């Protein structure tokens, strides 16, 4: 299984740190020339590699960690996303619901990435918290996952475990997923909740 993070801002850095901590290879990409952030990627860890967007989208599992407004530009990188799993880490705060056809933002994103299986996840924590080691006081920091594809949700839950987090599945995008999605100028109820799970 291969992994990529599209977007290398604060959230992209935080996600890359999680991969580096666990010795898992990951590609990071933006629309910029990878040479412009290669040193930054290498500083996080030896298994974090800067690549072009065209190379990064070859990965099986892709974290979409760009500004919400930029997701459609990323979607144009491939004619079809069949066989890919997209983890939607975007937050559509401030985007009028009518611009999304009244749908949850992740459903809107899913339609843009034609053929992909989409999981909403890793977006409810601020970058500074997400970047920390998820092992906290003998427990593990929770990440919430929502998807209309149970198999995709299970796959990303397993990845979250490998990265040291405690995955909590919320169900479909239009049900539990609304708890971790911004709608207009309001945040879902679980956004910014830093919870720790004890086994």
């Amino acid at each position: 299984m291969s992994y990529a993070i599209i977007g290398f801002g604060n959230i992209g850095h935080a996600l890359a740190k999680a991969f580096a901590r666990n010795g898992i290879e990951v590609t990071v990409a933006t629309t910029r020339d990878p040479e412009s952030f290669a040193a930054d990627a290498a500083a996080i860890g030896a298994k974090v590699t800067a690549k072009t967007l065209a190379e990064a989208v070859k990965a099986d599992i892709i974290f979409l960690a760009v500004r919400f407004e930029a997701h459609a530009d990323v979607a144009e990188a491939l004619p079809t996303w069949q066989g890919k799993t997209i983890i939607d880490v975007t937050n559509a705060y401030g985007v009028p619901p009518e611009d999304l056809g009244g749908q949850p933002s992740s459903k809107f994103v899913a339609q843009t990435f034609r053929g992909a299986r989409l999981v909403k996840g890793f977006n409810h924590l601020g970058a500074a918290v997400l970047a920390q080691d998820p092992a906290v006081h003998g427990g593990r920091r929770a990440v919430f996952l929502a998807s209309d594809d149970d198999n995709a949700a299970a796959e990303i839950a397993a990845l979250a475990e490998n990265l040291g987090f405690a995955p909590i599945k919320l169900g479909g995008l239009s049900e539990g997923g609304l708890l971790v999605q911004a709608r207009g100028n309001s945040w879902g109820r679980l956004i910014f909740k830093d919870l720790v799970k004890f086994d």
Side-chain angles (χ1 to χ4, degrees):
M1 200 63 74
S2 54
Y3 307 102
I5 300 164
I6 310 291
F8 201 42
N10 292 339
I11 293 288
H13 275 76
L15 291 166
K17 284 177 183 172
F19 277 86
R21 250 194 315 270
N22 294 282
I24 302 170
E25 289 189 6
V26 68
T27 293
V28 293
T30 71
T31 51
R32 292 180 288 134
D33 182 331
E35 285 183 14
S36 68
F37 56 92
D40 205 5
I44 293 174
K47 301 215 169 184
V48 180
T49 311
K51 294 214 174 148
T52 64
L53 182 59
E55 289 171 311
V57 296
K58 292 176 183 171
D60 303 307
I61 295 176
I62 298 166
F63 285 82
L64 183 66
V66 297
R67 287 180 304 103
F68 178 79
E69 295 76 14
H71 76 272
D73 298 333
V74 176
E76 288 174 9
L78 286 177
T80 175
W81 293 80
Q82 201 74 39
K84 310 275 184 196
T85 303
I86 301 285
I87 304 169
D88 178 16
V89 194
T90 67
N91 279 315
Y93 185 81
V95 177
E98 52 272 22
D99 287 5
L100 308 176
Q103 313 173 84
S105 62
S106 51
K107 277 212 177 252
F108 189 82
V109 171
Q111 290 164 1
T112 313
F113 287 83
R114 289 178 296 283
R117 305 185 311 162
L118 185 129
V119 178
K120 184 75 175 174
F122 291 85
N123 67 299
H124 82 283
L125 294 170
V129 175
L130 187 62
Q132 295 169 19
D133 188 329
V136 184
H137 306 306
R140 291 174 300 146
R141 181 166 280 120
V143 288
F144 299 110
L145 306 175
S147 182
D148 293 338
D149 185 314
D150 289 343
N151 290 334
E155 179 180 58
I156 302 312
L159 172 60
E161 294 257 4
N162 290 340
L163 293 174
F165 293 93
I168 296 175
K169 292 192 244 178
L170 301 176
L173 297 173
S174 297
E175 294 82 43
L178 291 177
L179 296 170
V180 286
Q181 298 194 33
R183 188 166 175 81
N185 291 324
S186 63
W187 292 105
R189 291 186 179 184
L190 291 178
I191 297 267
F192 305 131
K193 296 281 188 286
D194 182 14
L195 306 178
V196 177
K197 184 180 180 198
F198 296 92
D199 296 321

